[in-house]
Amino acid sequence: MSSSISPLPLFEAMFAGLSLPAMIVAENSKVVATNEGAAALFVMPVEELIGQRWAGLDANSTLIRWKGYWRRMGEGEKLTYVTDIETSRQYMRPITVEARRVTGDYALITLADRIEPDITDNEIVMLAKELRVGRWSYNRVDGHLEISSVCRELIGIPDGPVSKLEIGQLISAKMAETDFVKMANAATKLLAAPGEASLDFVIESTERTSLLNFVCHSIGNELHVTHLYGIVRRRTRSDGPGSDELDKYAQLAAFSVDQADDIILWTQPDDSVVYANIAASRQLGYGHLELQEVGFSALVAERDQASTDDSWRELRQHKNLRREYYLRAKDGSVCCVEASVNYVRLGEEEFACIIGHDATSDKLAAERNRLMEFSLERADGFIVWVRNNGDVHSVNNNYLEHTGFTPRQVEDMQIGQVCLDANVLDESTWDQLRTGQSVAMETKIHTASGGQVPVRAKMNYFHHDGEELCCLYFTDISTERDREQQLHLAQTALNKTAECVLWLDDTYRIKYANETLRQFLPSEMNRYLIGRDVLSILPGLDRSKIEAGEKQEFSLTDKAGDVHQMQLGSSLLNHNENRYYVLSAKDLTAGQQERDELESAFTEVEVMRDRLRDENVSLREDNDTKYNVNNIITVSRKYQKILTQVGQVADVDTTVLITGETGTGKELLARAVHQLSAREDFPLIKVNCAALPESLIESELFGHEKGAFTGAINRKKGRFEMADRGTIFLDEIGELPLDLQAKLLRVLQEDEFERLGGETTIKVDVRMIAATNRDLEDMVRKGKFREDLYYRLNVFPIHNLPLRDRPEDIPVLIEYFTKKYAKRQGKKISKISSADIKRISTYPFPGNIRELENIIERSVVLCQSDTLSIDFVRSSQSVTAGGEAFLSFEEMQRRHILDALRMTRGRMTGPTGAGILLEMNDRTLVSKIRKLGIEKHEYLL
Ligand SMILES: Nc1ncnc2c1ncn2[C@@H]1O[C@H](COP(=O)(O)OP(=O)(O)OP(=O)(O)O)[C@@H](O)[C@H]1O
């Protein structure tokens, strides 16, 4: 240091060796001394500076301003301000000035270059930013925490003041639990004693996931750690102790495993868990360290050391296994994990690396799907899924089975080919479906054979795989419709019958009353009829007779006050495990009315006859369907009563006994009962008891086991078994041998029997209808028919009328049979000779409708024109053997048998019977007599 003037001797000593730029300035602002530091700032020698005015060197000052500073310094104030000085190179240099008075006449000015510290600070910040290194420090003594902006950015801490607690919460939310535990452990160690730590962790944010490196130092004195500081930076290629490629891949692998969606667990033969990734910790609800503590056996239900050893043995052998584990989470819930278990050996150590995924929801979904499929394929309904352009998407099996379409045909189908109503799925229906409502309607669906099935359709909307679908669920309502119709017919018949019909329950309360009865009763009584005790309506009735099924007479006063004498019959019905009494009462005083009705029926017949007589009347196009129930043709009012009985009994499971002469249509009635019953969809099995050889009847009815008798080479089902759930029709029941009558009775009573040669008891659910043209009551009296069986069969008797008692049916039957046989024989017959109809109508028809049918069939065969002449001559009794007409073979047999019967006084069988005379087996003769329609009155005259 050098100076020209040295006003103060201390000056040299003060400035010696100081690099701090300084100068002594007098009150007049002249520099009286300075040093090398100051000279360096001004880039000029010390000598040049001395003598210059400070107010001039300070580029922003003037003498006046200097005077002002001087005065303020005189009041003891130290002045600090920033300004610029002009260097010898004429650059302005920013500096910070500190000035204070050192004596009365001088001031000491020290100068600091503002460029260098700013540059250094900025350089550090720039570097930190560039390298993405964040600084942080924590002063434990005063609690001050400082976090640099880079550090905040890397971790995701918002700007502004944050507390330690907030930082802890923020970090734990963004960090995997395993990492957070690692970091907390490191911090605990560093707070206990000075040291350093470096660890990697993953920060997850919505924008990205970053792998960061955290370096921390702690310093302090002998007593405690006072400071923690460190950096946070992004993990880069050159970071960490191993900076080679291997290390990079190891870190990437570790990261991937940690973050994988699959559950990854590494276990060892002692069932310890050495590693669990984030997904495993999260799924099982255990922290990383907790999992290591509890071990694998605590997670797997029913696992003990023996089963662990077995698993390890298997794993060592196969190296890779597929397993399904039910893992128990910390909260007790169980999840199903489908895993691949891999065997890994590192040196001496063995590991099982379990990689699996939570299959609980998959399993539930798969199970639900299986159940859905199962239900759909077994659904009674037909299911069709349709796209919103009308294309069929898919159908269920039931649809294919019932419509007969093949899956291939269905692929190209449109809704219009599925159901009759092509607009069933129009835009407005789709709109309605989209709101979540289901739409229902009745329509018909097409079958592959061109038929149509009436259905009820229910439509529902659903969205599947980005596609709009409508699920149409069709229910077949054809049986429902038929049944409704049948029910309607039966009810109408019941209401139209001339008899009053009542059903009572077993406490004699009225369950049903038909219209005919209601006509008698005053309206207020009608209103409350159902549920009332029958005696309160018909007080004259005798309960005990109802119970015994005996006939009784009582008087009934009608609403007009007229008294009617009624005859009542009753029968007991068992239906659906309930007992009912069916009462029917006939108005005996209504004889006149009946005669009137008969007369009007005759008039009707007369009209019809007239029409036919009216010169070869044309055949009508259709039979009057009003009288056509299951092909039973009649216009007779008397016959209507029989049909009413059929309607009454059809739907109750009662045994029916149909009696009547041969050929009157007993079998037809039996079929009608079956068809109108709920058993209609099951078989009606007919057994002709007269036509079976005696030795085979038993095996026919009840079946036989293999080897039961010679010729029984196979096991065979009997008719009763075949009729299970349906109806068995025992025709000619009067011909059943006595021993079989006993067996039949057992079936009737207990619904069970054994096969011939068999020991197993077979149970069946069969409804029985029996028919006979014999007088069973008479047979009972003569001991030829079991009385108990007779009562059992006679629960609901229907007596069929001979044709001669309903001659009004003859013309319509002729018409019916003519059409039937003309069609069958491919003939065109449009008229019938009216003279012939007149002639034949007086014939007594011992063979009844069958005989008439045969006559018409034969006439149609012989018919050569469009007008039918009835070939009546050959059947007529008026033709004698010696007459011009040649007798038919049948008629000749008939007469021959009649002659034999007359000779034996009607005895058919046995040593003095007609069978011996005719050299015919008794059974064949009986059957023949019946077939030919030979009646008692013909030979017992
Ligand atoms: N009302 C009717 N309408 C049309 N056809 C009838 C009618 N009644 C009977 N038939 C016909 O007459 C023939 C004889 O009827 P069915 O066999 O039912 O009589 P059946 O009384 O059972 O005779 P059998 O006692 O000899 O067994 C059958 O072809 C039947 O179709």
Side-chain angles (χ1 to χ4, degrees):
M1 153 143 203
S2 66
S3 65
S4 54
I5 318 162
S6 197
L8 293 171
L10 277 176
F11 185 76
E12 211 165 312
M14 274 171 59
F15 284 96
L18 261 188
S19 59
L20 181 73
M23 53 180 64
I24 298 288
V25 179
E27 188 183 355
N28 61 3
S29 149
K30 275 207 177 149
V31 175
V32 291
T34 186
N35 65 0
E36 284 301 328
L41 272 187
F42 283 94
V43 199
M44 63 178 74
V46 168
E47 295 76 29
E48 249 181 71
L49 272 178
I50 298 209
Q52 292 206 43
R53 285 186 190 273
W54 169 243
L57 290 171
D58 177 353
N60 298 308
S61 194
T62 57
L63 195 59
I64 294 174
R65 185 172 289 174
W66 171 250
K67 288 279 181 196
Y69 287 153
W70 186 263
R71 199 170 47 251
R72 273 163 59 193
M73 284 186 290
E75 287 161 7
E77 195 181 336
K78 177 182 136 190
L79 281 178
T80 305
Y81 64 93
V82 290
T83 186
D84 300 289
I85 52 170
E86 192 179 358
T87 67
S88 61
R89 293 191 197 153
Q90 294 180 343
Y91 279 101
M92 301 301 273
R93 180 170 215 151
I95 54 162
T96 305
V97 179
E98 262 187 33
R100 71 189 62 129
R101 294 266 287 270
V102 286
T103 65
D105 302 323
Y106 299 103
L108 170 67
I109 290 179
T110 56
L111 307 170
D113 191 351
R114 267 179 30 225
I115 294 174
E116 280 202 12
D118 279 2
I119 289 176
T120 321
D121 276 356
N122 289 344
E123 271 174 353
I124 292 169
V125 172
M126 273 164 60
L127 205 63
K129 278 194 178 161
E130 196 55 34
L131 294 172
R132 313 299 297 154
V133 177
R135 293 173 292 124
W136 61 273
S137 73
Y138 171 55
N139 184 338
R140 234 181 152 194
V141 181
D142 61 12
H144 181 70
L145 176 69
E146 197 189 312
I147 307 166
S148 76
S149 60
V150 176
C151 194
R152 284 172 185 261
E153 196 190 311
L154 285 175
I155 301 177
I157 300 169
D159 288 340
V162 269
S163 68
K164 273 182 294 163
L165 188 70
E166 284 168 328
I167 289 182
Q169 285 168 346
L170 261 167
I171 292 180
S172 73
K174 289 166 183 285
M175 213 182 248
E177 197 181 330
T178 44
D179 285 347
F180 189 72
V181 172
K182 272 193 274 173
M183 182 176 263
N185 287 345
T188 314
K189 267 192 197 165
L190 290 173
L191 283 170
E196 70 172 78
S198 165
L199 39 107
D200 294 341
F201 60 89
V202 173
I203 284 287
E204 284 171 0
S205 75
T206 42
E207 295 85 43
R208 60 165 175 263
T209 298
S210 7
L211 176 62
L212 301 180
N213 176 240
F214 171 85
V215 180
C216 176
H217 288 260
S218 66
I219 50 171
N221 51 35
E222 279 174 17
L223 292 176
H224 35 235
V225 167
T226 54
H227 276 82
L228 289 173
Y229 68 95
I231 56 165
V232 174
R233 58 188 164 167
R234 235 184 248 294
R235 256 265 173 247
T236 62
R237 187 185 250 249
S238 54
D239 286 342
S243 59
D244 55 6
E245 285 292 287
L246 197 65
D247 187 44
K248 177 180 89 177
Y249 289 122
Q251 287 190 33
L252 279 174
F255 178 74
S256 319
V257 169
D258 265 352
Q259 300 296 314
D261 280 343
D262 279 341
I263 291 170
I264 301 177
L265 291 166
W266 296 348
T267 67
Q268 289 199 295
D270 61 357
D271 256 353
S272 58
V273 175
V274 289
Y275 170 80
N277 73 343
I278 296 169
S281 304
R282 204 174 283 154
Q283 181 72 41
L284 298 168
Y286 284 105
H288 183 260
L289 296 175
E290 276 180 311
L291 265 179
Q292 292 182 357
E293 263 166 42
V294 296
F296 192 57
S297 52
L299 304 176
V300 184
E302 290 171 22
R303 189 170 171 100
D304 54 19
Q305 196 53 49
S307 61
T308 304
D309 292 347
D310 285 347
S311 314
W312 273 92
R313 258 191 295 281
E314 207 182 341
L315 187 59
R316 278 181 202 110
Q317 187 187 348
H318 297 290
K319 306 292 184 240
N320 172 280
L321 300 171
R322 293 216 66 82
R323 281 278 178 276
E324 197 172 78
Y325 292 112
Y326 286 87
L327 297 184
R328 202 183 300 115
K330 194 175 177 183
D331 64 5
S333 62
V334 174
C335 64
C336 172
V337 173
E338 277 177 4
S340 109
V341 187
N342 305 280
Y343 179 77
V344 181
R345 176 183 270 281
L346 297 176
E348 289 298 295
E349 282 192 297
E350 290 177 305
F351 299 90
C353 171
I354 302 170
I355 305 171
H357 72 278
D358 180 8
T360 320
S361 52
D362 295 3
K363 281 203 110 161
L364 284 174
E367 204 151 297
R368 208 173 42 237
N369 281 348
R370 267 203 306 281
L371 281 174
M372 294 276 280
E373 263 173 41
F374 181 84
S375 332
L376 286 184
E377 287 316 330
R378 276 160 184 75
D380 278 346
F382 318 134
I383 303 174
V384 179
W385 287 271
V386 177
R387 297 193 168 90
N388 68 2
N389 63 0
D391 283 348
V392 170
H393 175 280
S394 44
V395 299
N396 73 339
N397 272 349
N398 210 18
Y399 173 81
L400 296 176
E401 271 167 28
H402 280 78
T403 57
F405 286 115
T406 62
R408 175 74 201 86
Q409 286 172 312
V410 166
E411 270 176 31
D412 303 329
M413 266 163 74
Q414 275 267 322
I415 180 69
Q417 292 156 283
V418 172
C419 58
L420 201 61
D421 189 354
N423 293 329
V424 64
L425 268 178
D426 57 11
E427 236 351 273
S428 70
T429 313
W430 273 104
D431 285 344
Q432 196 178 342
L433 291 171
R434 281 184 195 112
T435 64
Q437 293 178 50
S438 61
V439 179
M441 66 178 298
E442 284 189 10
T443 178
K444 284 183 178 168
I445 55 169
H446 297 287
T447 64
S449 59
Q452 287 163 359
V453 181
V455 288
R456 187 171 299 124
K458 194 162 183 200
M459 293 170 260
N460 280 297
Y461 174 85
F462 79 111
H463 204 260
H464 175 65
D465 260 358
E467 195 177 14
E468 286 193 312
L469 291 172
C470 171
C471 173
L472 290 111
Y473 191 100
F474 297 115
T475 319
D476 182 352
I477 52 170
S478 46
T479 0
E480 209 175 289
R481 285 270 172 85
D482 287 354
R483 253 194 227 308
E484 274 169 17
Q485 223 163 4
Q486 287 165 7
L487 208 66
H488 181 68
L489 273 176
Q491 264 189 347
T492 315
L494 218 52
N495 283 331
K496 291 262 158 64
T497 175
E499 291 190 10
C500 301
V501 179
L502 271 173
W503 295 357
L504 312 179
D505 66 13
D506 52 1
T507 62
Y508 295 89
R509 302 211 167 265
I510 298 173
K511 301 292 283 181
Y512 169 80
N514 73 344
E515 265 313 302
T516 323
L517 175 68
R518 286 174 182 271
Q519 297 288 327
F520 280 94
L521 305 175
S523 54
E524 67 278 7
M525 208 181 252
N526 265 325
R527 213 171 305 143
Y528 305 107
L529 203 56
I530 307 303
R532 283 180 72 162
D533 188 327
V534 68
L535 294 180
S536 69
I537 306 288
L538 308 171
L541 286 188
D542 179 348
R543 269 195 187 196
S544 61
K545 286 196 173 162
I546 295 180
E547 199 134 347
E550 285 174 26
K551 288 204 164 100
Q552 56 177 308
E553 287 190 14
F554 67 99
S555 38
L556 175 67
T557 312
D558 68 17
K559 47 189 168 196
D562 295 335
V563 180
H564 297 255
Q565 195 55 28
M566 311 290 287
Q567 188 184 56
L568 180 123
S570 62
S571 41
L572 179 67
L573 287 184
N574 286 317
H575 180 57
N576 281 351
E577 297 180 358
N578 292 320
R579 284 155 57 92
Y580 297 96
Y581 295 105
V582 178
L583 311 185
S584 65
K586 187 157 71 178
D587 184 1
L588 298 176
T589 39
Q592 184 55 44
Q593 196 187 333
E594 231 172 60
R595 275 192 294 281
D596 291 348
E597 276 174 17
L598 209 61
E599 217 165 81
S600 83
F602 272 127
T603 322
E604 204 174 300
V605 175
E606 283 303 317
V607 170
M608 202 172 292
R609 274 202 201 141
D610 288 348
R611 199 159 58 80
L612 288 168
R613 210 177 288 132
D614 196 18
E615 257 322 288
N616 305 337
V617 173
S618 306
L619 284 177
R620 283 172 293 169
E621 267 310 305
D622 289 308
N623 286 309
D624 189 343
T625 47
K626 192 160 116 197
Y627 298 114
N628 184 353
V629 181
N630 294 297
N631 286 334
I632 298 176
I633 308 297
T634 181
V635 291
S636 154
R637 282 185 196 274
K638 281 196 231 160
Y639 201 76
Q640 279 301 306
K641 291 187 185 165
I642 295 175
L643 293 185
T644 305
Q645 283 182 301
V646 167
Q648 281 172 346
V649 79
D651 236 6
V652 275
D653 252 357
T654 307
T655 303
V656 179
L657 178 64
I658 306 173
T659 55
E661 289 176 18
T662 184
T664 44
K666 295 189 291 296
E667 182 173 341
L668 215 56
L669 292 183
R671 289 192 182 280
V673 171
H674 173 73
Q675 279 163 19
L676 293 175
S677 76
R679 296 173 176 266
E680 177 203 17
D681 296 333
F682 297 95
L684 168 85
I685 301 289
K686 179 185 163 181
V687 184
N688 188 338
C689 304
L692 286 168
E694 201 166 328
S695 56
L696 285 183
I697 291 188
E698 196 175 356
S699 118
E700 274 301 314
L701 289 186
F702 306 113
H704 61 245
E705 293 295 337
K706 189 174 171 182
F709 51 83
T710 334
I713 40 172
N714 280 316
R715 169 203 264 191
K716 188 184 156 195
K717 272 191 182 180
R719 305 278 174 108
F720 269 98
E721 261 184 273
M722 289 189 221
D724 195 18
R725 301 176 70 190
T727 306
I728 193 156
F729 173 47
L730 298 169
D731 203 6
E732 317 290 8
I733 188 84
E735 313 310 318
L736 201 66
L738 273 169
D739 52 340
L740 273 179
Q741 290 178 18
K743 285 212 169 197
L744 184 61
L745 188 66
R746 191 179 135 205
V747 182
L748 274 178
Q749 278 166 340
E750 293 164 26
D751 292 338
E752 61 179 41
F753 55 86
E754 287 97 40
R755 290 200 192 108
L756 215 63
E759 279 168 12
T760 329
T761 303
I762 296 167
K763 268 197 115 31
V764 284
D765 166 23
V766 170
R767 193 245 184 104
M768 176 116 53
I769 303 177
T772 183
N773 58 2
R774 308 256 285 203
D775 182 350
L776 288 188
E777 237 169 305
D778 186 47
M779 288 179 77
V780 169
R781 272 194 298 274
K782 291 178 177 152
K784 291 187 176 165
F785 202 86
R786 287 182 70 117
E787 188 176 13
D788 43 9
L789 177 61
Y790 171 65
Y791 286 116
R792 201 77 208 179
L793 292 175
N794 199 27
V795 185
F796 196 101
I798 297 179
H799 183 68
N800 207 352
L801 285 177
L803 187 55
R804 64 179 169 281
D805 287 353
R806 45 180 174 124
E808 61 273 31
D809 275 345
I810 295 173
V812 281
L813 284 166
I814 292 176
E815 197 179 335
Y816 170 72
F817 291 133
T818 305
K819 275 203 220 166
K820 175 173 160 184
Y821 289 104
K823 188 174 174 199
R824 198 175 285 179
Q825 294 167 28
K827 291 195 170 172
K828 271 208 156 82
I829 300 174
S830 50
K831 292 169 190 165
I832 304 166
S833 153
S834 56
D836 284 0
I837 294 181
K838 194 175 174 192
R839 203 152 39 91
I840 205 172
S841 292
T842 56
Y843 175 64
F845 284 105
N848 288 296
I849 300 174
R850 181 179 295 110
E851 191 182 355
L852 175 64
E853 186 173 357
N854 289 343
I855 293 170
I856 301 299
E857 183 180 4
R858 199 166 48 232
S859 306
V860 172
V861 173
L862 298 172
C863 183
Q864 299 296 339
S865 70
D866 68 342
T867 305
L868 184 83
S869 312
I870 301 173
D871 182 44
F872 176 52
V873 168
R874 298 179 193 197
S875 302
S876 165
Q877 282 175 328
S878 62
V879 177
T880 59
E884 329 73 278
F886 194 77
L887 277 189
S888 71
F889 180 58
E890 208 170 72
E891 185 58 24
M892 196 194 70
Q893 283 183 324
R894 194 169 194 285
R895 291 181 180 199
H896 196 55
I897 293 172
L898 270 174
D899 286 345
L901 283 168
R902 283 187 196 115
M903 285 173 75
T904 60
R905 297 178 183 222
R907 183 175 289 278
M908 292 182 203
T909 56
T912 53
I916 299 283
L917 280 183
L918 296 164
E919 294 184 14
M920 275 174 95
N921 172 299
D922 285 350
R923 189 164 283 278
T924 319
L925 175 62
V926 171
S927 155
K928 198 84 195 164
I929 289 172
R930 203 171 17 257
K931 198 160 169 237
L932 293 170
I934 294 171
E935 289 285 312
K936 263 189 205 161
H937 65 88
E938 292 180 75
Y939 53 85
L940 289 183
L941 284 174

